[in-house]
Amino acid sequence: MADLRKKNDGNSIEERARKIFPSGGFGNLKADLVIESGSGGRVRDHLGKEYIDFVLGSGPMLVGHAHPDVTEAVEKQLSKGTTFFALNESAIELAEMIVAAVPCAEQLRFVSSGSEATLYTMRLARAFTGKEKILKFEGGYHGMNDYALMSMAPKKEADFPQPLPDSAGIPTSVGESVLIAPFNDLETTKELLIQNRNEVAAVIVEPFQRLISPKPGFLEGLRELTASEGVLLIFDEVVTGFRFSYQGAQGYYGVVPDLCALGKVIGGGFPLAAVAGSRKLFDHFDSEKVGASGYLPQIGTLSGNPVASVAGIATLKILSKAGAYEEIFETGRVLMAGIEDILKSCGVEAQVIGEPPLFDVVFGSGSLDDYRAVAACDISLLGKFNQSLRSNGVLKGDTKFYVSLAHTSEDVQRTLEAVDLSIKGL
Ligand SMILES: Cc1ncc(COP(=O)(O)O)c(C=O)c1O
């Protein structure tokens, strides 16, 4: 009988990855890094090199890797079974915690990824309003669904509200139901919304778009405008949920949307995300309430998975302790200020933008209020900076420093030393 087992042929781990994955990786980070383990604010690669980690698994690990409370909760659940497709008490408890914390949330549904969550927010808005179009902002990231991949990172400038698809394979018809507006430009958004008021179901926005803070009044203006035009306001809080505050960006900025998408932190490092909003909207997930024509079926093999739920519960319990957010913000503030000082003392044309739990260095000057302004900054210099940080034992994403509760003052000190070396070496 033929041996069906394919051999590794003694290849290195990177070679094995290159053989099996297109572009050699998962499509996330550059495929030249293999992580073996993580603990607190650090990760170690397969060669044993340790890094201070500001990737945080792209954000979920806000309390740090392998937090003992999260690990204990997960270990306990593992021996009780790992997925049931049915209600389980842990998922109900996590949902109760989310609803108690997030201002717009009266009800929710669990899904497995942020991309799925944003897809449902938009579909729900269409079902509720009976209208088709979604207004999103240029440069806004809402995951990998077809609607989200409209002008997420356009390589050329189109006139607003023309969307440009970010991926091959998206039907042209999707573009016909998406309008694009410039972030932080309330006047243009208002004009577009008023011109299309009879067709627009929702405005979807990252309240803090990538690294760009909303200008004072922008989110408040969107809230007023959408309410007066009969359009729903969706906050994509996949990044900001339970990160900017226990109430998310809604609490941080004091603006409450009609519904939101949550992900990352709420799954404690496991695949879990959610759509949350008001009861009257969520009736559309209940065929008995809305009848067949208004009904949105919503089914997912791993929805409300108990392992992810207990990890989420343990994570939220850690974050709800007094002082947790103060600590995360203080760590972020010290890093941001320290990096600013280094940039100034080296006379580099660069700045630190963002908020203490999530920021980055951008190599450009002036006010960076929208996608086009940030896209005009020097991305290749940023790439070199990231690479040099990595050689100096600091790991960050391409465009982000995610700060965790587990980062220590020694981590901060060592990071600033690495930033100093890296900036001087550019
Ligand atoms: C704002 C925002 N929305 C949605 C998503 C998609 O989430 P996921 O990667 O879980 O699909 C992300 C992922 O980074 C995100 O940053």
Side-chain angles (χ1 to χ4, degrees), residues 58 112-116 118 141-144 206 210 236-239 264 400 402:
S58 191
S112 298
S113 75
S115 301
E116 223 185 321
T118 61
Y141 185 72
H142 306 296
M144 288 287 123
E206 287 183 89
R210 307 286 75 204
D236 180 344
E237 292 236 42
V238 171
V239 164
K264 301 202 190 265
K400 281 188 185 80
Y402 271 118

Side-chain angles (χ1 to χ4, degrees), residues 95-110:
E96 287 168 346
M97 289 173 86
I98 294 170
V99 164
V102 177
C104 81
E106 284 179 349
Q107 291 203 318
L108 66 76
R109 273 290 175 87
F110 285 122

